[in-house]
Amino acid sequence: MIKRPLVSAILFGVSIPLLTACGPMYRTVYTYTPPSDLEGKRCLNQCLAMREMCRSNAEGRAAQNRSNCQQSAMVSYTACISTAKSDAERAKCTDSSYSCNEQANTSQCDADYRVCYSNCGGIVDSREVCVSGCQ
């Protein structure tokens, strides 16, 4: 988890994240201690299956969104090229499919997994670790 605000800049039509503050960046690291009993360990297997299904669903949604974005970008680009009346107008047509790079957001899957893990009798410890700009 980044503890510093992010801003995007547009450079040659590409959005680039820029860091706005000076200082260290932190990420949360989790340590898992499983339960000692057999029932707790079986329960953890259900947590793992739930997390994998959640991640798979998130990946599928992101892939579908990328596909829809690419289709839309192609339609817009083709329409622009076909209606342009000069080379200058055609030069203004841009293929925006490069911005169709949505990644799967699995953070909720991981949060749900940690709750499930704890509910099964496991212990989840967290700590902040400096990953950049550390003193």
Side-chain angles (χ1 to χ4, degrees), residues 74-126:
M74 183 54 69
V75 167
S76 296
Y77 179 72
T78 302
C80 182
I81 291 294
S82 66
T83 59
K85 299 192 183 343
S86 67
D87 286 342
E89 285 183 12
R90 277 187 284 284
K92 291 179 184 177
C93 296
T94 58
D95 177 8
S96 59
S97 63
Y98 63 84
S99 65
C100 299
N101 60 359
E102 181 177 329
Q103 299 299 311
N105 181 354
T106 60
S107 60
Q108 188 60 51
C109 303
D110 296 332
D112 290 347
Y113 175 74
R114 289 189 295 275
V115 169
C116 186
Y117 198 98
S118 294
N119 288 342
C120 289
I123 299 169
V124 180
D125 290 313
S126 65

Side-chain angles (χ1 to χ4, degrees), residues 50-66 101-110 112:
M50 176 196 70
R51 182 177 66 177
E52 290 312 307
M53 182 180 294
C54 180
R55 286 180 174 180
S56 178
N57 289 339
E59 290 287 345
R61 281 190 302 275
Q64 184 63 49
N65 289 343
R66 284 190 302 271
N101 60 359
E102 181 177 329
Q103 299 299 311
N105 181 354
T106 60
S107 60
Q108 188 60 51
C109 303
D110 296 332
D112 290 347

